[in-house]
Amino acid sequence: MMFKLGRKRGDKLEFGVFTLPILISIIAVFYYPFIMTIRYSLTKWNGISKHPKFVGLDNFKQIFMGDANFSHAAWFTIKYAILYIVLINVLAILLALVLDMKLKSTTWLRAAFFIPYILSLVIVGFIWKFIFMQGFESLGASTGWGVFALSWLGEPGLAFISVLFVSIWQSIGFYMVIYIAGLQSVPEDLKEAATVDGAGPIRRFFNVTLPLLAPSITISVFMALTNSIKVFDVILSLTGGGPGGTTYSVAYDIYRDTFQNNLYGYGTAKALILFVAVLIITVIQLTIFKRREVEA
């Protein structure tokens, strides 16, 4: 009896020894900064003074009622997120269908599409900035095609397309891998049964394959949603928010107010709004898609 009690106490002590450092790290890295974020969002602070001025909810009132930059950045982020989510998932599914076939070059093609994802979006942005500004100029001179003579980073509409294109080009390999894994988990006997029943490739895809891809779609849409709402690095390196601030995302607007304009309290309030928005949207998205998974 005493041996069992001693063993239970030893197990509890061992559990505490291994879990306590993790709990302390989580509190120090996540919960404490989050509490400080809430605190500073209620102040007027330049990031230097030791005593931030408490202003209550004035920062939030100004954001929602008088900040045109934030509203424009929010609209840009919404448009970007919708197009990014739809395009990258559709293209990733199409690529996965092609690369799931028994082709001799399948392995090399998968690697070719996945390699850009290994690169940082900051590096990718600088590479494509060089391509848009100098590479396209050389191609336009040699081919005479007018599409290369367009100002891809100098016009608002084209700059938006450029940011969207570069983001999709860099990350499509990641989503493609998720869908390939989903396709390989689809039972072959279901496909064969659908073929025997006279279903063609298109009908077989929509009636058999696509419903069974529901878990992969849930993961991919979730990742695309969170990444698109927080888009920042590709804008920083590719357009710098230009031309004329037309490619400001919410995350870039927060960075500009906080670190360039030294409005730390105001920028923290925007960051808190972004956090709450991402949390609400992702919870709703996961709830809806998980429900459809069960139905499928």
Side-chain angles (χ1 to χ4, degrees):
M1 187 70 178
M2 294 296 294
F3 175 74
K4 289 183 178 180
L5 289 174
R7 185 174 181 181
K8 287 182 179 179
R9 289 177 182 175
D11 291 340
K12 290 181 180 179
L13 180 61
E14 184 179 357
F15 178 79
V17 168
F18 282 103
T19 57
L20 189 60
I22 304 299
L23 291 174
I24 294 174
S25 299
I26 292 174
I27 292 171
V29 173
F30 179 77
Y31 288 106
Y32 179 73
F34 182 71
I35 293 172
M36 295 302 295
T37 297
I38 297 175
R39 176 195 170 191
Y40 286 128
S41 67
L42 303 175
T43 64
K44 183 178 181 181
W45 185 44
N46 60 5
I48 301 174
S49 61
K50 295 182 179 180
H51 303 288
K53 180 182 178 182
F54 180 79
V55 294
L57 298 176
D58 288 352
N59 288 332
F60 296 95
K61 291 179 182 178
Q62 185 176 349
I63 290 170
F64 287 111
M65 299 179 64
D67 194 334
N69 289 331
F70 183 78
S71 60
H72 292 157
W75 176 236
F76 171 88
T77 305
I78 292 171
K79 290 190 299 180
Y80 174 88
I82 292 173
L83 289 174
Y84 180 84
I85 293 168
V86 173
L87 290 176
I88 202 163
N89 280 280
V90 171
L91 293 174
I93 289 175
L94 293 175
L95 276 175
L97 288 171
V98 174
L99 297 182
D100 192 45
M101 298 177 182
K102 307 299 181 182
L103 302 175
K104 292 183 179 180
S105 58
T106 296
T107 303
W108 295 102
L109 288 173
R110 290 180 184 179
F113 280 107
F114 189 77
I115 284 174
Y117 181 73
I118 301 173
L119 302 175
S120 167
L121 259 175
V122 175
I123 297 174
V124 170
F126 282 121
I127 292 172
W128 275 98
K129 185 175 183 178
F130 173 81
I131 293 173
F132 282 128
M133 296 182 67
Q134 300 186 32
F136 276 19
E137 182 179 352
S138 300
L139 288 172
S142 59
T143 61
W145 293 356
V147 67
F148 294 120
L150 298 175
S151 180
W152 286 95
L153 301 180
E155 296 181 13
L158 293 177
F160 175 82
I161 294 173
S162 300
V163 172
L164 183 64
F165 168 78
V166 172
S167 300
I168 292 174
W169 178 86
Q170 186 266 350
S171 57
I172 194 170
F174 171 76
Y175 300 94
M176 177 196 70
V177 170
I178 295 176
Y179 284 119
I180 288 176
L183 288 172
Q184 291 178 348
S185 66
V186 176
E188 289 294 332
D189 54 348
L190 291 179
K191 297 179 182 179
E192 293 173 0
T195 304
V196 172
D197 290 340
I202 297 177
R203 187 176 178 184
R204 190 164 62 245
F205 170 75
F206 283 103
N207 292 345
V208 178
T209 305
L210 192 60
L212 294 176
L213 278 178
S216 299
I217 293 174
T218 300
I219 295 172
S220 297
V221 172
F222 168 74
M223 295 297 296
L225 177 64
T226 54
N227 291 334
S228 60
I229 292 177
K230 299 183 295 182
V231 59
F232 166 75
D233 35 14
V234 66
I235 294 174
L236 178 67
S237 58
L238 185 63
T239 65
T246 54
T247 56
Y248 281 164
S249 65
V250 173
Y252 190 86
D253 188 51
I254 293 170
Y255 162 79
R256 189 176 62 88
D257 277 342
T258 305
F259 298 105
Q260 293 183 350
N261 299 334
N262 293 327
L263 301 174
Y264 280 77
Y266 192 63
T268 303
K270 289 185 176 182
L272 189 61
I273 293 172
L274 178 62
F275 169 80
V276 174
V278 172
L279 179 64
I280 293 173
I281 293 172
T282 50
V283 168
I284 294 173
Q285 181 260 320
L286 287 175
T287 303
I288 294 173
F289 276 74
K290 283 293 182 182
R291 194 175 301 162
R292 291 187 176 183
E293 280 185 34
V294 175
E295 293 175 357

